[in-house]
Amino acid sequence: MKASDTDNSQRSMPQSITSSKLRLQVASKSRKYVKVIASPLLQERMALRIYEEGIDVTPKFLTHPTFNQIDDRHMTAFEQIAISQSEGNGPSSFLSSSHSGFKSSSSLISRSTYVTNDTQIESLLSTEVMGVMEDVKEKAPVQFYISSDDPEEFHTRPETITIILKETETIIFFEMLPLTSDLRTSEGQAVQESNERYKDIVAGPGIARKVIDAETQTIDVITKSRGTYLGGRARQNEGMFVNNWVIYDTYKEPELMTEKNGFLVVRTRDSYLRMLEKQEMKNKLPQYNIDHQVKHSSDQLYHIVYNTGFLKAARIMEGILSNNIYLDVQKRFTGIVQRDPCSLDLEFTYDLDLLWTYTCDISKDRPVSSFCWNYFNRNIIAVSYGSKPTDDKKDGLLLLWCAKNPKEPGQIHIFDSQISSIDWSHDRPNLLAIGFYNGSIKVIDVSSTSLNIIRQSKRDTSVIYEPHWQVQWWKSDEHFDFQELIYTSNQNGRVYRYPLDEDFIMTEMMKISKIEDKILGVDRSDQCISYDILMNQSTGALVLCQHPTLSSIYFVGSDEGAIYRCSTNYLYHHIDSFLAHDGPIYRMEFSHYCSKLFLTCGADWCTRIWIEELTEPLITLSTTLACVPYATWCPTYSTIIASIVNNEICIWNIKRRTYAPLSVTRSPNEARLVKVAFTDNGKQMVTADVQGAVYIYNLEGIPFSPYNQEEVLIESIKKALFTKPDLLKKLQKTGPPFSNN
């Protein structure tokens, strides 16, 4: 095919905007350049203009217009879009321009290619080819090069330009005048005459000032003060005239006169005060009389320990020395050293790691009756002990332990009667209320090293002979000026109130009676019919619990398993009651995150979770056929519960499962446990047994606390009631937070 035929055939073919393939026969084998015009997509984009408030703000192209007239071998983003469009369309004509200087009205993007004989060329652009042009050597500029003069803009330049130069105002920031002058000038001669006149004045009579005509520099001279020695002053007798007024004033203040070596010495007031200060400093040191020194050495040691500050200093030194042994565990107890929450080997195992044990010779084999952490200082715990089973004397023991010295107790107090319950005051952390088995109540001040009883009940105003199972401090209302009052629950089924005044007279608040008929709650086992005449119609009040939000409402649990809802505004009768356990109830505690939920544990081997409006338990936790003496909520995780059964500590998480505990930890000495409690931060746990040992555990592998504790607790209870649809409907009818209505 000839070149002329090729041109004619190209002109006869219809135009297309898509890519195509073309076979060209060219006689000459020299290199040819093909001019291509921009794709329709680029042409459409170039036709768009942007106006804002009538002003054309269309951005300029990065490619300079001069670049469009010169060949380039780089492919732009618009060429790639054209290639993708060409793949879905059929073949079209490929036209070339024979004019090398052709330029379209719109911006072009041209591309060069080489054409040889019998060569099949696939266009890389969606363009229109205007023909074949001759080989023209042109120097192509950089694609993004922009010349200093825009060819599309024409500026009118004048032939002459007038430039006016003006001097700005002089601003003086700092000026330092010279101190010397040139003698060859009139100013220098005037200065010289002035200096000569000054010399004449200085050299005149009466002037002792020296003037040196030389440059000087101050020399640092280190001096030393001259030492002086004063010899002894000679003494001599000297008489003094004293009238009657001076004698009267002197003898009017006999405290200023002291007797020394048989003579009466009169001191001034200043010297007398200095003498008193010296005597006071001497009195701070332990003083011993002659009779104590001649006595036996054991008597002297007793006097030093109990009549001086030696015992307090020894306890402080013991605490310092105990850090060598308990330093690592004390850091874990205070939270200084914690397990890395981002550790790769972290597992939720709910384990208990024993830190230390509170025990000593005086408390060995004495059962722990109660313990309580101080609400102000979380390092101090008060522990009460009963008497040994083999002892004839039934006395009570109270020890104050501190985490700073786990080896020895801080204070030791012994009482005539066994202790049943203790509790710290919330407002005054130095006061500790103690309930005894003989029915008495005492309030002691632990800030004193010796036993300091500030309040105690009397037999003429408090005729009680049964033990107080619960002793608690409650905040009162406006009738008592919002002061703390002591409430107790007694074995005779009564609840008493003790105001902290000088009289310390009790007030009977409530009396509960035995269950004579069926009441709502759990199923009760059949009782044997007894025909004996009962001497006492009341039942023992073992549990006392105040409502978390309503200060006037409180609950009483009996040894028959019933819970009575009472009010401080209604004396001698309760509001409502239901049966929580088939046997004595030992513990009742409200949830820290939902004021409607509470748990109970008792002698029927179960720990149950309740809601106030229902008399049917929501969740029942049980492990073995043994009584549950204590159970408590975790203060930092709403769904974790700890309970004790025999010598085992059970950790429950009702969010995961309710049929079995997640971990079970046995007591180190295999003794029966009596109480368990979490610390305030929820990272440690305290338990006590019947052999007088108190164990401090660190919780390991506990999951992170959820963001919304109440929501997690509610969803966990609903999940546990999935197999009880009737009970779940009753729960939703109780209102928020278990239902939105």
Side-chain angles (χ1 to χ4, degrees):
M1 182 182 293
K2 298 181 180 179
S4 59
D5 298 336
T6 305
D7 296 337
N8 295 332
S9 63
Q10 290 177 354
R11 294 189 186 96
S12 62
M13 292 176 63
Q15 298 180 356
S16 175
I17 62 174
T18 59
S19 63
S20 61
K21 296 182 179 180
L22 179 64
R23 295 182 61 86
L24 300 178
Q25 299 290 337
V26 183
S28 176
K29 297 199 181 271
S30 61
R31 297 171 58 186
K32 302 292 181 181
Y33 292 93
V34 181
K35 286 290 184 178
V36 292
I37 305 177
S39 64
L41 181 61
L42 181 58
Q43 296 177 4
E44 182 181 356
R45 181 205 180 284
M46 295 167 60
L48 297 177
R49 312 299 297 175
I50 301 175
Y51 295 90
E52 182 179 358
E53 297 180 358
I55 301 175
D56 188 1
V57 294
T58 306
K60 296 182 179 181
F61 294 96
L62 296 178
T63 306
H64 197 270
T66 307
F67 181 81
N68 300 330
Q69 303 176 5
I70 305 173
D71 294 337
D72 188 18
R73 292 179 178 82
H74 295 281
M75 185 170 56
T76 62
F78 292 101
E79 295 176 354
Q80 296 179 1
I81 297 175
I83 292 174
S84 62
Q85 293 178 354
S86 64
E87 292 177 356
N89 299 330
S92 59
S93 61
F94 184 89
L95 302 178
S96 60
S97 176
S98 60
H99 191 270
S100 61
F102 177 80
K103 181 178 180 182
S104 175
S105 59
S106 59
S107 299
L108 305 181
I109 299 179
S110 60
R111 183 176 180 84
S112 62
T113 182
Y114 301 95
V115 181
T116 58
N117 293 336
D118 300 330
T119 303
Q120 184 178 358
I121 301 176
E122 181 179 356
S123 64
L124 301 178
L125 306 175
S126 298
T127 59
E128 296 179 359
V129 182
M130 305 304 297
V132 181
M133 63 180 180
E134 297 297 331
D135 188 4
V136 179
K137 295 183 179 180
E138 296 182 1
K139 184 178 180 181
V142 183
Q143 181 178 0
F144 298 101
Y145 170 78
I146 299 178
S147 60
S148 59
D149 297 333
D150 194 344
E152 296 182 0
E153 296 181 3
F154 300 94
H155 302 279
T156 302
R157 299 180 180 178
E159 297 180 356
T160 60
I161 298 175
T162 304
I163 300 175
I164 301 175
L165 302 178
K166 294 183 178 181
E167 183 181 0
T168 59
E169 182 181 357
T170 302
I171 301 175
I172 300 175
F173 293 97
F174 176 76
E175 182 180 7
M176 185 175 181
L177 299 177
L179 301 178
T180 60
S181 300
D182 192 359
L183 288 175
R184 293 173 295 181
T185 60
S186 59
E187 292 83 4
Q189 295 177 1
V191 171
Q192 186 178 11
E193 294 177 358
S194 177
N195 293 338
E196 294 295 333
R197 289 195 301 269
Y198 181 77
K199 290 180 181 181
D200 296 339
I201 295 173
V202 173
I207 304 299
R209 183 176 178 182
K210 295 182 180 180
V211 179
I212 302 175
D213 295 334
E215 296 180 356
T216 60
Q217 185 175 3
T218 304
I219 301 175
D220 295 335
V221 179
I222 301 175
T223 61
K224 179 180 179 182
S225 60
R226 180 181 299 175
T228 57
Y229 172 76
L230 298 178
R233 185 177 180 181
R235 291 189 175 187
Q236 61 181 357
N237 295 329
E238 184 176 355
M240 180 178 292
F241 175 78
V242 179
N243 56 15
N244 294 333
W245 296 105
V246 175
I247 297 175
Y248 174 78
D249 294 339
T250 302
Y251 283 91
K252 186 179 179 181
E253 298 179 355
E255 66 274 4
L256 299 180
M257 296 184 297
T258 58
E259 185 178 358
K260 185 176 182 182
N261 298 329
F263 296 96
L264 188 62
V265 179
V266 181
R267 297 178 178 271
T268 62
R269 185 172 298 276
D270 295 338
S271 63
Y272 185 75
L273 293 177
R274 288 194 298 268
M275 182 187 67
L276 293 180
E277 290 179 359
K278 291 181 181 180
Q279 292 180 357
E280 185 179 358
M281 293 296 296
K282 292 180 180 180
N283 294 333
K284 291 182 179 180
L285 299 175
Q287 300 291 334
Y288 307 105
N289 297 329
I290 299 178
D291 54 349
H292 287 92
Q293 296 180 2
V294 299
K295 285 185 177 180
H296 197 267
S297 60
S298 61
D299 298 335
Q300 295 182 13
L301 182 61
Y302 179 85
H303 176 77
I304 293 174
V305 171
Y306 292 99
N307 295 331
T308 64
F310 176 78
L311 185 60
K312 182 179 179 180
R315 289 172 179 170
I316 295 175
M317 185 57 63
E318 287 179 354
I320 296 174
L321 295 177
S322 64
N323 291 337
N324 299 330
I325 304 175
Y326 300 98
L327 181 60
D328 296 337
V329 294
Q330 286 174 345
K331 289 181 179 180
R332 296 173 61 188
F333 178 80
T334 56
I336 298 177
V337 177
Q338 298 181 4
R339 190 172 183 180
D340 185 10
C342 300
S343 178
L344 298 178
D345 58 347
L346 181 63
E347 297 180 359
F348 298 148
T349 56
Y350 300 85
D351 293 335
L352 298 179
D353 186 13
L354 182 62
L355 299 180
W356 65 75
T357 303
Y358 288 129
T359 182
C360 59
D361 296 337
I362 193 173
S363 64
K364 189 176 182 180
D365 297 332
R366 298 180 70 116
V368 176
S369 58
S370 179
F371 62 79
C372 183
W373 287 99
N374 190 284
Y375 301 111
F376 181 77
N377 189 348
R378 294 296 179 175
N379 295 327
I380 300 176
I381 182 174
V383 184
S384 61
Y385 302 84
S387 61
K388 298 179 181 179
T390 57
D391 290 348
D392 297 334
K393 184 179 180 181
K394 303 298 181 181
D395 59 346
L397 176 64
L398 177 67
L399 300 181
L400 298 182
W401 296 91
C402 183
K404 296 180 181 179
N405 185 13
K407 198 67 176 178
E408 295 293 336
Q411 292 186 16
I412 302 174
H413 302 297
I414 300 177
F415 301 92
D416 297 335
S417 177
Q418 298 186 51
I419 302 175
S420 57
S421 180
I422 57 177
D423 189 27
W424 292 95
S425 173
H426 296 267
D427 294 342
R428 286 162 288 187
N430 60 316
L431 299 184
L432 180 65
I434 306 174
F436 295 89
Y437 273 82
N438 59 4
S440 62
I441 295 291
K442 293 182 181 180
V443 180
I444 65 173
D445 186 2
V446 300
S447 60
S448 177
T449 55
S450 59
L451 181 60
N452 183 16
I453 302 175
I454 62 174
R455 296 289 185 272
Q456 62 179 349
S457 59
K458 301 178 181 179
R459 287 299 180 186
D460 55 349
T461 59
S462 178
V463 187
I464 304 174
Y465 299 94
E466 292 82 6
H468 294 280
W469 295 120
Q470 291 287 322
V471 177
Q472 299 178 5
W473 296 78
W474 292 356
K475 182 73 71 174
S476 61
D477 51 11
E478 63 274 4
H479 298 289
F480 295 92
D481 297 332
F482 300 98
Q483 296 181 359
E484 275 190 324
L485 305 178
I486 300 176
Y487 285 78
T488 65
S489 61
N490 198 272
Q491 179 60 35
N492 57 14
R494 291 174 171 84
V495 178
Y496 300 101
R497 181 179 63 197
Y498 292 84
L500 202 64
D501 52 11
E502 295 182 359
D503 297 334
F504 204 62
I505 300 175
M506 72 169 188
T507 302
E508 183 177 338
M509 302 294 296
M510 178 59 57
K511 179 183 178 182
I512 59 177
S513 59
K514 290 183 175 294
I515 300 176
E516 298 181 356
D517 199 359
K518 292 184 178 180
I519 62 175
L520 298 176
V522 299
D523 296 334
R524 189 180 184 187
S525 59
D526 296 334
Q527 301 291 332
C528 298
I529 300 176
S530 177
Y531 297 97
D532 297 335
I533 299 176
L534 299 176
M535 299 300 295
N536 188 4
Q537 294 294 332
S538 62
T539 181
L542 305 183
V543 176
L544 185 63
C545 181
Q546 189 182 23
H547 197 278
T549 57
L550 303 175
S551 59
S552 60
I553 301 297
Y554 64 95
F555 298 85
V556 181
S558 67
D559 56 4
E560 293 182 330
I563 293 180
Y564 299 86
R565 182 185 179 94
C566 310
S567 175
T568 56
N569 300 325
Y570 303 98
L571 305 181
Y572 309 117
H573 64 277
H574 59 273
I575 301 175
D576 194 7
S577 64
F578 68 96
L579 191 64
H581 293 272
D582 187 13
I585 179 174
Y586 298 125
R587 176 66 175 171
M588 177 181 178
E589 181 181 352
F590 278 87
S591 173
H592 302 278
Y593 300 97
C594 184
S595 59
K596 288 186 176 182
L597 296 175
F598 63 91
L599 63 81
T600 60
C601 62
D604 58 350
W605 321 322
C606 297
T607 301
R608 295 187 173 95
I609 300 177
W610 306 77
I611 189 171
E612 286 190 66
E613 289 80 358
L614 300 179
T615 58
E616 185 177 356
L618 302 178
I619 298 176
T620 301
L621 309 176
S622 180
T623 57
T624 184
L625 303 181
C627 67
V628 184
Y630 211 89
T632 181
W633 295 92
C634 179
T636 57
Y637 204 103
S638 59
T639 59
I640 293 180
I641 299 174
S643 63
I644 53 176
V645 179
N646 291 334
N647 61 344
E648 297 178 348
I649 306 172
C650 303
I651 305 296
W652 304 79
N653 190 351
I654 60 178
K655 178 182 178 181
R656 299 187 61 180
R657 66 188 184 200
T658 59
Y659 59 88
L662 295 178
S663 69
V664 177
T665 305
R666 300 178 67 89
S667 175
N669 57 0
E670 299 295 334
R672 180 172 57 87
L673 301 174
V674 296
K675 189 176 180 180
V676 63
F678 287 95
T679 54
D680 187 54
N681 56 7
K683 298 179 181 179
Q684 288 80 32
M685 183 178 292
V686 188
T687 59
D689 58 14
V690 295
Q691 293 185 0
V694 180
Y695 306 101
I696 308 297
Y697 290 96
N698 192 70
L699 277 73
E700 301 290 345
I702 299 298
F704 308 111
S705 301
Y707 177 74
N708 193 339
Q709 299 269 20
E710 183 182 11
E711 183 179 354
V712 173
L713 177 60
I714 294 171
E715 294 299 329
S716 301
I717 293 177
K718 290 182 178 180
K719 180 181 177 181
L721 297 179
F722 184 76
T723 57
K724 300 178 181 179
D726 296 338
L727 182 58
L728 183 59
K729 292 181 181 179
K730 295 179 182 179
L731 179 64
Q732 294 176 350
K733 291 181 180 179
T734 58
F738 294 94
S739 64
N740 298 328
N741 298 329

